[in-house]
Amino acid sequence: QVRLVESGGGLVQPGGSLRLSCAASGIRLSLYAMGWYRQAPGKQRELVARITAGDSTNYADSVKGRFTISRDNAKNTVDLQMNALKPEDTAVYYCNGRISVTNYWGQGTQVTVSS
């Protein structure tokens, strides 16, 4: 059984930092491309960052230079370091992995950026 579980969300002030983690069971995350998505209130879900099995990365323009996606193979996690957070970053953040034609999603973790 494949399971993805996000953690690390919370309330942070503008300019602050959070580190999100996506822990996997049932698969080795190092073998697959993984992504972080987010969905803000009233908005469509959007891709924030992606890391391939070869560890190449790409980011949404809105987070370039502020967010970093990485793998921790020892912990079997994919992480998202978020710095210089803005109120516009407020959203539920989801971990995603696509294995063949099947998409796997975590339950989401809430990130709220507010004074």
Short mmCIF file of all heavy atoms in Angstrom, two decimals, residues 56-112:
data_model
loop_
_atom_site.label_atom_id
_atom_site.label_comp_id
_atom_site.label_asym_id
_atom_site.label_seq_id
_atom_site.Cartn_x
_atom_site.Cartn_y
_atom_site.Cartn_z
N SER A 56 16.71 16.47 -10.70
CA SER A 56 16.53 17.78 -11.28
C SER A 56 15.25 18.39 -10.71
O SER A 56 14.32 17.67 -10.33
CB SER A 56 16.47 17.72 -12.80
OG SER A 56 15.36 16.95 -13.24
N THR A 57 15.20 19.70 -10.64
CA THR A 57 14.09 20.39 -9.98
C THR A 57 13.53 21.48 -10.86
O THR A 57 14.21 22.02 -11.74
CB THR A 57 14.52 21.00 -8.64
OG1 THR A 57 15.58 21.94 -8.87
CG2 THR A 57 15.01 19.92 -7.69
N ASN A 58 12.29 21.82 -10.62
CA ASN A 58 11.70 23.01 -11.20
C ASN A 58 10.68 23.58 -10.23
O ASN A 58 10.17 22.88 -9.36
CB ASN A 58 11.11 22.78 -12.59
CG ASN A 58 10.13 21.63 -12.64
OD1 ASN A 58 9.10 21.64 -11.97
ND2 ASN A 58 10.44 20.63 -13.46
N TYR A 59 10.39 24.87 -10.39
CA TYR A 59 9.58 25.60 -9.45
C TYR A 59 8.61 26.52 -10.16
O TYR A 59 8.89 27.00 -11.27
CB TYR A 59 10.46 26.45 -8.53
CG TYR A 59 11.44 25.67 -7.71
CD1 TYR A 59 12.72 25.38 -8.19
CD2 TYR A 59 11.10 25.20 -6.45
CE1 TYR A 59 13.62 24.65 -7.45
CE2 TYR A 59 12.00 24.47 -5.69
CZ TYR A 59 13.26 24.20 -6.19
OH TYR A 59 14.15 23.48 -5.44
N ALA A 60 7.51 26.77 -9.51
CA ALA A 60 6.62 27.82 -9.97
C ALA A 60 7.34 29.16 -9.87
O ALA A 60 8.14 29.39 -8.96
CB ALA A 60 5.34 27.85 -9.15
N ASP A 61 7.06 30.04 -10.81
CA ASP A 61 7.72 31.35 -10.81
C ASP A 61 7.51 32.09 -9.49
O ASP A 61 8.40 32.81 -9.03
CB ASP A 61 7.21 32.21 -11.96
CG ASP A 61 7.72 31.75 -13.31
OD1 ASP A 61 8.71 31.00 -13.36
OD2 ASP A 61 7.12 32.14 -14.33
N SER A 62 6.37 31.91 -8.88
CA SER A 62 6.04 32.63 -7.67
C SER A 62 6.89 32.24 -6.46
O SER A 62 6.93 32.98 -5.47
CB SER A 62 4.56 32.45 -7.32
OG SER A 62 4.25 31.09 -7.12
N VAL A 63 7.56 31.08 -6.53
CA VAL A 63 8.33 30.62 -5.38
C VAL A 63 9.82 30.48 -5.68
O VAL A 63 10.59 30.15 -4.77
CB VAL A 63 7.80 29.28 -4.82
CG1 VAL A 63 6.31 29.38 -4.53
CG2 VAL A 63 8.09 28.13 -5.79
N LYS A 64 10.23 30.73 -6.90
CA LYS A 64 11.65 30.61 -7.25
C LYS A 64 12.50 31.52 -6.38
O LYS A 64 12.18 32.68 -6.17
CB LYS A 64 11.87 30.95 -8.73
CG LYS A 64 11.40 29.88 -9.68
CD LYS A 64 11.67 30.28 -11.13
CE LYS A 64 11.22 29.19 -12.08
NZ LYS A 64 11.41 29.59 -13.50
N GLY A 65 13.58 30.95 -5.89
CA GLY A 65 14.47 31.69 -5.02
C GLY A 65 14.09 31.67 -3.57
O GLY A 65 14.89 32.09 -2.71
N ARG A 66 12.89 31.20 -3.26
CA ARG A 66 12.42 31.16 -1.88
C ARG A 66 12.22 29.73 -1.37
O ARG A 66 12.42 29.47 -0.19
CB ARG A 66 11.11 31.93 -1.73
CG ARG A 66 11.23 33.40 -2.08
CD ARG A 66 9.95 34.15 -1.70
NE ARG A 66 8.79 33.67 -2.44
CZ ARG A 66 7.69 33.17 -1.88
NH1 ARG A 66 7.60 33.09 -0.55
NH2 ARG A 66 6.68 32.77 -2.63
N PHE A 67 11.77 28.84 -2.25
CA PHE A 67 11.47 27.46 -1.88
C PHE A 67 12.52 26.53 -2.47
O PHE A 67 13.03 26.76 -3.57
CB PHE A 67 10.10 27.03 -2.40
CG PHE A 67 8.92 27.69 -1.74
CD1 PHE A 67 9.06 28.77 -0.89
CD2 PHE A 67 7.65 27.20 -1.99
CE1 PHE A 67 7.97 29.37 -0.29
CE2 PHE A 67 6.54 27.79 -1.40
CZ PHE A 67 6.70 28.87 -0.55
N THR A 68 12.80 25.45 -1.75
CA THR A 68 13.72 24.43 -2.22
C THR A 68 13.13 23.05 -1.96
O THR A 68 12.77 22.74 -0.81
CB THR A 68 15.09 24.53 -1.54
OG1 THR A 68 15.64 25.84 -1.75
CG2 THR A 68 16.05 23.48 -2.12
N ILE A 69 13.03 22.24 -3.00
CA ILE A 69 12.56 20.87 -2.85
C ILE A 69 13.79 19.95 -2.82
O ILE A 69 14.76 20.17 -3.54
CB ILE A 69 11.59 20.47 -3.97
CG1 ILE A 69 10.96 19.11 -3.70
CG2 ILE A 69 12.25 20.51 -5.34
CD1 ILE A 69 9.80 18.77 -4.64
N SER A 70 13.73 18.92 -1.98
CA SER A 70 14.85 18.01 -1.85
C SER A 70 14.36 16.65 -1.37
O SER A 70 13.22 16.51 -0.92
CB SER A 70 15.90 18.56 -0.87
OG SER A 70 15.35 18.70 0.43
N ARG A 71 15.23 15.68 -1.48
CA ARG A 71 14.95 14.33 -0.97
C ARG A 71 15.84 14.03 0.21
O ARG A 71 16.99 14.46 0.28
CB ARG A 71 15.21 13.28 -2.04
CG ARG A 71 14.39 13.39 -3.30
CD ARG A 71 14.76 12.26 -4.26
NE ARG A 71 14.16 12.42 -5.56
CZ ARG A 71 12.96 11.98 -5.90
NH1 ARG A 71 12.21 11.32 -5.01
NH2 ARG A 71 12.49 12.17 -7.12
N ASP A 72 15.31 13.25 1.14
CA ASP A 72 16.10 12.67 2.20
C ASP A 72 15.91 11.16 2.08
O ASP A 72 14.93 10.61 2.58
CB ASP A 72 15.66 13.17 3.57
CG ASP A 72 16.58 12.72 4.68
OD1 ASP A 72 17.18 11.63 4.58
OD2 ASP A 72 16.72 13.47 5.68
N ASN A 73 16.82 10.52 1.40
CA ASN A 73 16.65 9.10 1.11
C ASN A 73 16.69 8.23 2.37
O ASN A 73 16.03 7.20 2.43
CB ASN A 73 17.71 8.64 0.12
CG ASN A 73 17.51 9.23 -1.25
OD1 ASN A 73 16.40 9.62 -1.63
ND2 ASN A 73 18.59 9.30 -2.03
N ALA A 74 17.45 8.65 3.36
CA ALA A 74 17.53 7.88 4.60
C ALA A 74 16.19 7.84 5.31
O ALA A 74 15.83 6.85 5.94
CB ALA A 74 18.60 8.45 5.51
N LYS A 75 15.44 8.93 5.23
CA LYS A 75 14.13 9.02 5.88
C LYS A 75 12.99 8.69 4.93
O LYS A 75 11.83 8.63 5.36
CB LYS A 75 13.91 10.41 6.46
CG LYS A 75 14.87 10.78 7.57
CD LYS A 75 14.59 12.18 8.09
CE LYS A 75 15.52 12.56 9.21
NZ LYS A 75 15.26 13.94 9.70
N ASN A 76 13.30 8.50 3.64
CA ASN A 76 12.29 8.25 2.62
C ASN A 76 11.26 9.38 2.59
O ASN A 76 10.05 9.16 2.61
CB ASN A 76 11.60 6.90 2.83
CG ASN A 76 10.95 6.37 1.57
OD1 ASN A 76 11.40 6.64 0.46
ND2 ASN A 76 9.87 5.61 1.74
N THR A 77 11.77 10.61 2.56
CA THR A 77 10.91 11.77 2.50
C THR A 77 11.31 12.68 1.35
O THR A 77 12.45 12.63 0.86
CB THR A 77 10.96 12.61 3.79
OG1 THR A 77 12.27 13.16 3.96
CG2 THR A 77 10.59 11.76 5.00
N VAL A 78 10.38 13.49 0.92
CA VAL A 78 10.66 14.61 0.05
C VAL A 78 10.23 15.85 0.81
O VAL A 78 9.12 15.91 1.36
CB VAL A 78 9.98 14.48 -1.33
CG1 VAL A 78 8.46 14.39 -1.20
CG2 VAL A 78 10.37 15.64 -2.23
N ASP A 79 11.11 16.84 0.86
CA ASP A 79 10.91 17.99 1.72
C ASP A 79 10.78 19.26 0.90
O ASP A 79 11.25 19.35 -0.24
CB ASP A 79 12.08 18.13 2.69
CG ASP A 79 12.29 16.88 3.53
OD1 ASP A 79 11.29 16.22 3.88
OD2 ASP A 79 13.46 16.58 3.85
N LEU A 80 10.15 20.24 1.49
CA LEU A 80 10.02 21.55 0.87
C LEU A 80 10.40 22.60 1.90
O LEU A 80 9.67 22.81 2.87
CB LEU A 80 8.59 21.79 0.37
CG LEU A 80 8.37 23.08 -0.40
CD1 LEU A 80 9.09 23.03 -1.76
CD2 LEU A 80 6.88 23.35 -0.60
N GLN A 81 11.56 23.20 1.71
CA GLN A 81 11.99 24.30 2.56
C GLN A 81 11.42 25.59 2.00
O GLN A 81 11.66 25.92 0.83
CB GLN A 81 13.51 24.37 2.61
CG GLN A 81 14.06 25.52 3.45
CD GLN A 81 13.76 25.36 4.92
OE1 GLN A 81 13.93 24.29 5.48
NE2 GLN A 81 13.30 26.44 5.55
N MET A 82 10.68 26.31 2.82
CA MET A 82 10.01 27.52 2.40
C MET A 82 10.55 28.68 3.22
O MET A 82 10.39 28.71 4.44
CB MET A 82 8.50 27.40 2.56
CG MET A 82 7.89 26.20 1.85
SD MET A 82 6.08 26.16 1.95
CE MET A 82 5.86 25.98 3.73
N ASN A 83 11.16 29.63 2.54
CA ASN A 83 11.72 30.81 3.18
C ASN A 83 11.03 32.06 2.66
O ASN A 83 10.39 32.05 1.61
CB ASN A 83 13.22 30.91 2.92
CG ASN A 83 14.01 29.74 3.47
OD1 ASN A 83 13.68 29.21 4.53
ND2 ASN A 83 15.06 29.34 2.76
N ALA A 84 11.19 33.14 3.40
CA ALA A 84 10.63 34.43 3.00
C ALA A 84 9.15 34.29 2.64
O ALA A 84 8.70 34.78 1.60
CB ALA A 84 11.43 35.02 1.85
N LEU A 85 8.42 33.66 3.51
CA LEU A 85 7.02 33.36 3.22
C LEU A 85 6.18 34.63 3.14
O LEU A 85 6.41 35.61 3.87
CB LEU A 85 6.46 32.42 4.28
CG LEU A 85 6.89 30.96 4.12
CD1 LEU A 85 6.69 30.19 5.41
CD2 LEU A 85 6.12 30.32 2.97
N LYS A 86 5.22 34.58 2.24
CA LYS A 86 4.32 35.69 1.99
C LYS A 86 2.89 35.26 2.28
O LYS A 86 2.57 34.08 2.21
CB LYS A 86 4.41 36.14 0.53
CG LYS A 86 5.81 36.51 0.06
CD LYS A 86 5.80 36.81 -1.43
CE LYS A 86 7.18 37.17 -1.93
NZ LYS A 86 7.19 37.45 -3.39
N PRO A 87 2.00 36.21 2.57
CA PRO A 87 0.60 35.84 2.76
C PRO A 87 0.02 35.08 1.56
O PRO A 87 -0.84 34.22 1.75
CB PRO A 87 -0.09 37.19 2.94
CG PRO A 87 0.96 38.06 3.55
CD PRO A 87 2.24 37.62 2.89
N GLU A 88 0.50 35.38 0.37
CA GLU A 88 0.03 34.69 -0.83
C GLU A 88 0.40 33.21 -0.85
O GLU A 88 -0.14 32.45 -1.67
CB GLU A 88 0.60 35.35 -2.10
CG GLU A 88 0.33 36.84 -2.18
CD GLU A 88 1.47 37.66 -1.61
OE1 GLU A 88 1.46 37.93 -0.39
OE2 GLU A 88 2.38 38.04 -2.39
N ASP A 89 1.31 32.79 0.01
CA ASP A 89 1.68 31.38 0.10
C ASP A 89 0.70 30.57 0.94
O ASP A 89 0.83 29.35 1.01
CB ASP A 89 3.09 31.23 0.70
CG ASP A 89 4.16 31.86 -0.17
OD1 ASP A 89 4.11 31.68 -1.40
OD2 ASP A 89 5.06 32.51 0.40
N THR A 90 -0.24 31.23 1.57
CA THR A 90 -1.23 30.54 2.40
C THR A 90 -2.03 29.56 1.54
O THR A 90 -2.62 29.95 0.54
CB THR A 90 -2.16 31.54 3.07
OG1 THR A 90 -1.42 32.35 3.98
CG2 THR A 90 -3.26 30.81 3.84
N ALA A 91 -2.03 28.31 1.94
CA ALA A 91 -2.69 27.26 1.17
C ALA A 91 -2.57 25.95 1.92
O ALA A 91 -1.82 25.83 2.89
CB ALA A 91 -2.07 27.12 -0.22
N VAL A 92 -3.31 24.96 1.44
CA VAL A 92 -3.07 23.59 1.84
C VAL A 92 -2.05 23.01 0.87
O VAL A 92 -2.23 23.09 -0.35
CB VAL A 92 -4.35 22.75 1.83
CG1 VAL A 92 -4.05 21.30 2.21
CG2 VAL A 92 -5.36 23.34 2.80
N TYR A 93 -0.99 22.46 1.40
CA TYR A 93 0.09 21.91 0.59
C TYR A 93 -0.02 20.39 0.54
O TYR A 93 -0.17 19.74 1.58
CB TYR A 93 1.45 22.34 1.15
CG TYR A 93 1.78 23.78 0.84
CD1 TYR A 93 1.10 24.82 1.46
CD2 TYR A 93 2.78 24.09 -0.08
CE1 TYR A 93 1.39 26.13 1.15
CE2 TYR A 93 3.08 25.40 -0.39
CZ TYR A 93 2.39 26.42 0.23
OH TYR A 93 2.68 27.74 -0.07
N TYR A 94 0.09 19.85 -0.66
CA TYR A 94 -0.07 18.43 -0.90
C TYR A 94 1.18 17.84 -1.53
O TYR A 94 1.77 18.45 -2.42
CB TYR A 94 -1.25 18.15 -1.83
CG TYR A 94 -2.59 18.59 -1.32
CD1 TYR A 94 -3.08 19.85 -1.60
CD2 TYR A 94 -3.37 17.73 -0.56
CE1 TYR A 94 -4.33 20.26 -1.13
CE2 TYR A 94 -4.61 18.12 -0.10
CZ TYR A 94 -5.08 19.39 -0.38
OH TYR A 94 -6.32 19.78 0.07
N CYS A 95 1.52 16.66 -1.09
CA CYS A 95 2.59 15.88 -1.69
C CYS A 95 1.99 14.96 -2.75
O CYS A 95 0.93 14.37 -2.54
CB CYS A 95 3.30 15.07 -0.61
SG CYS A 95 4.62 13.99 -1.19
N ASN A 96 2.67 14.85 -3.88
CA ASN A 96 2.18 14.04 -4.99
C ASN A 96 3.29 13.19 -5.58
O ASN A 96 4.42 13.65 -5.74
CB ASN A 96 1.59 14.93 -6.09
CG ASN A 96 1.33 14.17 -7.37
OD1 ASN A 96 2.13 14.19 -8.30
ND2 ASN A 96 0.19 13.50 -7.43
N GLY A 97 2.93 11.98 -5.90
CA GLY A 97 3.83 11.11 -6.65
C GLY A 97 3.05 10.35 -7.68
O GLY A 97 1.95 9.86 -7.41
N ARG A 98 3.60 10.27 -8.88
CA ARG A 98 2.94 9.53 -9.95
C ARG A 98 3.76 8.29 -10.28
O ARG A 98 4.91 8.41 -10.72
CB ARG A 98 2.75 10.41 -11.19
CG ARG A 98 2.02 9.69 -12.32
CD ARG A 98 1.49 10.68 -13.34
NE ARG A 98 2.55 11.45 -13.96
CZ ARG A 98 3.22 11.07 -15.04
NH1 ARG A 98 2.94 9.91 -15.62
NH2 ARG A 98 4.17 11.85 -15.53
N ILE A 99 3.17 7.14 -10.04
CA ILE A 99 3.79 5.87 -10.34
C ILE A 99 3.01 5.25 -11.48
O ILE A 99 1.84 4.89 -11.32
CB ILE A 99 3.82 4.93 -9.11
CG1 ILE A 99 4.71 5.50 -8.01
CG2 ILE A 99 4.33 3.55 -9.51
CD1 ILE A 99 4.05 6.48 -7.11
N SER A 100 3.64 5.15 -12.63
CA SER A 100 2.97 4.75 -13.86
C SER A 100 1.84 5.75 -14.12
O SER A 100 2.09 6.96 -14.19
CB SER A 100 2.48 3.31 -13.76
OG SER A 100 1.99 2.86 -15.01
N VAL A 101 0.61 5.27 -14.22
CA VAL A 101 -0.51 6.17 -14.50
C VAL A 101 -1.29 6.55 -13.25
O VAL A 101 -2.30 7.25 -13.34
CB VAL A 101 -1.47 5.53 -15.53
CG1 VAL A 101 -0.76 5.29 -16.85
CG2 VAL A 101 -2.07 4.24 -15.00
N THR A 102 -0.85 6.12 -12.10
CA THR A 102 -1.56 6.35 -10.85
C THR A 102 -0.95 7.51 -10.08
O THR A 102 0.26 7.53 -9.84
CB THR A 102 -1.58 5.10 -9.97
OG1 THR A 102 -2.15 4.01 -10.70
CG2 THR A 102 -2.40 5.34 -8.71
N ASN A 103 -1.77 8.46 -9.70
CA ASN A 103 -1.35 9.56 -8.86
C ASN A 103 -1.66 9.26 -7.40
O ASN A 103 -2.77 8.84 -7.07
CB ASN A 103 -2.05 10.86 -9.25
CG ASN A 103 -1.31 11.63 -10.31
OD1 ASN A 103 -0.15 11.99 -10.12
ND2 ASN A 103 -1.98 11.89 -11.43
N TYR A 104 -0.68 9.49 -6.55
CA TYR A 104 -0.85 9.33 -5.11
C TYR A 104 -0.72 10.69 -4.44
O TYR A 104 0.18 11.47 -4.76
CB TYR A 104 0.18 8.36 -4.54
CG TYR A 104 0.03 6.96 -5.07
CD1 TYR A 104 0.72 6.54 -6.20
CD2 TYR A 104 -0.81 6.05 -4.44
CE1 TYR A 104 0.57 5.26 -6.70
CE2 TYR A 104 -0.96 4.76 -4.93
CZ TYR A 104 -0.27 4.38 -6.05
OH TYR A 104 -0.41 3.11 -6.55
N TRP A 105 -1.62 10.96 -3.52
CA TRP A 105 -1.67 12.23 -2.82
C TRP A 105 -1.68 12.02 -1.32
O TRP A 105 -2.28 11.07 -0.82
CB TRP A 105 -2.93 13.01 -3.20
CG TRP A 105 -2.99 13.41 -4.64
CD1 TRP A 105 -3.54 12.70 -5.66
CD2 TRP A 105 -2.50 14.62 -5.21
NE1 TRP A 105 -3.42 13.40 -6.84
CE2 TRP A 105 -2.79 14.58 -6.59
CE3 TRP A 105 -1.84 15.74 -4.68
CZ2 TRP A 105 -2.44 15.61 -7.46
CZ3 TRP A 105 -1.50 16.77 -5.54
CH2 TRP A 105 -1.80 16.70 -6.91
N GLY A 106 -1.03 12.93 -0.62
CA GLY A 106 -1.17 12.97 0.82
C GLY A 106 -2.44 13.68 1.22
O GLY A 106 -3.22 14.14 0.37
N GLN A 107 -2.66 13.78 2.51
CA GLN A 107 -3.88 14.40 3.02
C GLN A 107 -3.81 15.92 3.04
O GLN A 107 -4.84 16.58 3.20
CB GLN A 107 -4.18 13.88 4.43
CG GLN A 107 -3.45 14.58 5.57
CD GLN A 107 -1.96 14.29 5.63
OE1 GLN A 107 -1.47 13.36 4.98
NE2 GLN A 107 -1.23 15.07 6.41
N GLY A 108 -2.63 16.46 2.88
CA GLY A 108 -2.44 17.90 2.89
C GLY A 108 -2.06 18.42 4.26
O GLY A 108 -2.42 17.86 5.29
N THR A 109 -1.31 19.52 4.26
CA THR A 109 -0.95 20.20 5.49
C THR A 109 -1.16 21.70 5.28
O THR A 109 -0.78 22.26 4.25
CB THR A 109 0.49 19.88 5.92
OG1 THR A 109 0.76 20.47 7.20
CG2 THR A 109 1.52 20.38 4.92
N GLN A 110 -1.78 22.34 6.25
CA GLN A 110 -2.15 23.75 6.13
C GLN A 110 -0.96 24.64 6.44
O GLN A 110 -0.31 24.49 7.48
CB GLN A 110 -3.31 24.08 7.07
CG GLN A 110 -3.71 25.55 7.09
CD GLN A 110 -4.40 25.98 5.82
OE1 GLN A 110 -5.34 25.32 5.37
NE2 GLN A 110 -3.94 27.08 5.22
N VAL A 111 -0.70 25.58 5.55
CA VAL A 111 0.28 26.63 5.78
C VAL A 111 -0.45 27.96 5.77
O VAL A 111 -1.11 28.30 4.78
CB VAL A 111 1.39 26.61 4.72
CG1 VAL A 111 2.29 27.84 4.86
CG2 VAL A 111 2.20 25.33 4.81
N THR A 112 -0.34 28.69 6.85
CA THR A 112 -0.96 30.00 6.95
C THR A 112 0.10 31.04 7.26
O THR A 112 0.82 30.92 8.25
CB THR A 112 -2.04 30.02 8.04
OG1 THR A 112 -3.02 29.02 7.76
CG2 THR A 112 -2.71 31.38 8.11
#
